[in-house]
Amino acid sequence: QVQLVESGGGLVQAGGSLRLSCAASGSIFSIDFVGWYRQAPGKQRELVATITSGGRTIYADSVKGRFTISRDNAKKTVYLQMNSLKPDDTAVYYCNGNFRTSLATSPMNYWGQGTQVTVSS
């Protein structure tokens, strides 16, 4: 099993910054990709950013130029640096990724419990 624990959420004024962290633990053989999703009240969960094992990144158009995803493989941690935050960024942010627990197993998808980000105007 793999556990994902997010941290770093909170309340910030518009224009401010936050850095989210997602630490993976458990029986991890390898990490295929990890990323961040968010879900605002009354809206569907949406992709924010992902990063592959090779470092390739994908961002939602709404966060390009403001958010940066990165990963520390040694620490099994992925980060989301969020700058120039807007009220529309208010949501619960979830960590997500595909992990292998052994060479013989197929990758499985895991979710964290989420961390609240609130941006005030």
Side-chain angles (χ1 to χ4, degrees), residues 98-110:
N98 270 14
F99 299 80
R100 292 178 185 263
T101 55
S102 74
L103 181 62
T105 58
S106 299
M108 291 185 64
N109 192 255
Y110 294 88

Side-chain angles (χ1 to χ4, degrees), residues 83-96:
N83 299 328
S84 302
L85 283 161
K86 306 174 182 179
D88 283 350
D89 295 318
T90 295
V92 178
Y93 283 70
Y94 297 92
C95 182
N96 172 263

Side-chain angles (χ1 to χ4, degrees), residues 26-49:
S27 180
I28 299 173
F29 175 77
S30 65
I31 303 172
D32 285 0
F33 71 86
V34 289
W36 292 92
Y37 286 73
R38 66 186 181 187
Q39 187 166 20
K43 295 187 178 181
Q44 288 189 330
R45 192 171 297 189
E46 63 176 1
L47 173 69
V48 177

Side-chain angles (χ1 to χ4, degrees), residues 41-90:
K43 295 187 178 181
Q44 288 189 330
R45 192 171 297 189
E46 63 176 1
L47 173 69
V48 177
T50 63
I51 184 167
T52 68
S53 58
R56 178 172 174 259
T57 58
I58 297 174
Y59 293 94
D61 288 343
S62 59
V63 306
K64 283 181 181 176
R66 300 188 298 122
F67 291 10
T68 302
I69 189 170
S70 61
R71 60 192 283 174
D72 184 327
N73 291 328
K75 294 183 179 180
K76 296 184 177 64
T77 300
V78 62
Y79 305 97
L80 186 67
Q81 178 66 44
M82 306 186 295
N83 299 328
S84 302
L85 283 161
K86 306 174 182 179
D88 283 350
D89 295 318
T90 295

Side-chain angles (χ1 to χ4, degrees), residues 11-17 83-89 118-121:
L11 173 64
V12 64
Q13 288 188 332
S17 298
N83 299 328
S84 302
L85 283 161
K86 306 174 182 179
D88 283 350
D89 295 318
T118 303
V119 184
S120 63
S121 57

